[in-house]
């Protein structure tokens, strides 16, 4: 009866209740061991919703793969707000720095279509546009133009291999 379970759990705060418990209950795995492993692996995301895949075998063994939270969740966590703006072009709910955009882009880069950090940052800025988040006091669309013009190349340049 080997199988796979995919759930969203709060980083570092998974518990044997829903959504994990009902999914894992009928399986041969030790639910508490799975919860502990998930919490250990997602601790850095501290409460942010994280996609987790649990693969299990008939003998009770399991493996856990932790994904990266959605870009909007990373932005909300970094900026410290719960919900985006109802009118994102007029009512802004938070402001991020270029360094914070870089940090989010680095976390998400493996999940994005972007081929470099600069383009990953532009994808993050696009999400800021839909959430109503400014960057360094600027409308995200204006900030994206500045990235395109090379104004932030020093911040979004790929690090040279050591």
């Amino acid at each position: 009866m080997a199988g796979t379970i995919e759930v969203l759990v709060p980083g570092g705060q998974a518990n044997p209740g829903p959504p994990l418990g009902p999914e894992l209950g009928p399986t041969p795995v030790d639910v508490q061991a799975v919860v502990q492993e998930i919490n250990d692996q997602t601790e850095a995301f501290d409460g942010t919703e994280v996609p987790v895949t649990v693969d299990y075998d008939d003998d009770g063994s399991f493996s856990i793969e932790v994904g990266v939270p959605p870009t909007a969740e990373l932005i909300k966590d970094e900026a410290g707000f719960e919900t985006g703006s109802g009118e994102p072009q007029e009512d802004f709910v938070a402001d991020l720095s270029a360094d914070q955009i870089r940090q989010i882009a680095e976390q998400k880069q493996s999940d994005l279509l972007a081929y470099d950090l600069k383009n990953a940052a532009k994808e993050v800025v696009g999400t800021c546009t839909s959430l109503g988040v400014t960057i360094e006091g600027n409308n995200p669309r204006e900030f994206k133009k500045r990235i395109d013009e090379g104004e932030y190349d020093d911040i979004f340049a790929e690090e040279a291999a050591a």
Side-chain angles (χ1 to χ4, degrees):
M1 176 179 124
T4 300
I5 296 169
E6 295 179 358
V7 292
L8 274 176
V9 297
Q13 300 172 13
N15 63 58
L20 280 173
E23 293 284 337
L24 292 171
T27 70
V29 300
D30 176 353
V31 175
Q32 197 57 47
V34 172
V35 168
Q36 186 59 49
E37 181 73 20
I38 289 171
N39 285 337
D40 290 346
Q41 289 189 32
T42 62
E43 188 174 18
F45 293 115
D46 189 31
T48 303
E49 293 287 309
V50 182
V52 174
T53 302
V54 180
D55 290 312
Y56 61 89
D57 289 316
D58 292 331
D59 64 2
S61 64
F62 63 90
S63 64
I64 294 170
E65 184 178 322
V66 176
V68 179
T71 305
E73 288 297 321
L74 293 173
I75 292 168
K76 287 192 255 183
D77 187 50
E78 186 67 28
F81 66 94
E82 292 295 316
T83 59
S85 171
E87 297 180 36
Q89 294 308 307
E90 296 160 26
D91 183 24
F92 297 102
V93 295
D95 186 61
L96 292 175
S97 69
D99 288 331
Q100 288 173 306
I101 296 294
R102 178 190 169 98
Q103 180 183 337
I104 295 167
E106 286 172 342
Q107 289 176 309
K108 280 299 288 186
Q109 191 168 4
S110 63
D111 282 3
L112 298 175
L113 299 174
Y115 53 87
D116 63 14
L117 186 60
K118 184 175 179 178
N119 284 292
K122 288 174 14 181
E123 287 191 44
V124 172
V125 169
T127 304
C128 287
T129 302
S130 63
L131 288 173
V133 175
T134 57
I135 298 118
E136 298 196 342
N138 294 300
N139 182 304
R141 291 182 175 151
E142 177 61 32
F143 186 81
K144 182 181 172 296
K145 284 180 194 170
R146 289 179 172 183
I147 291 174
D148 288 337
E149 292 167 357
E151 188 173 327
Y152 292 96
D153 282 357
D154 57 330
I155 293 174
F156 298 116
E158 297 285 346
E159 303 251 337

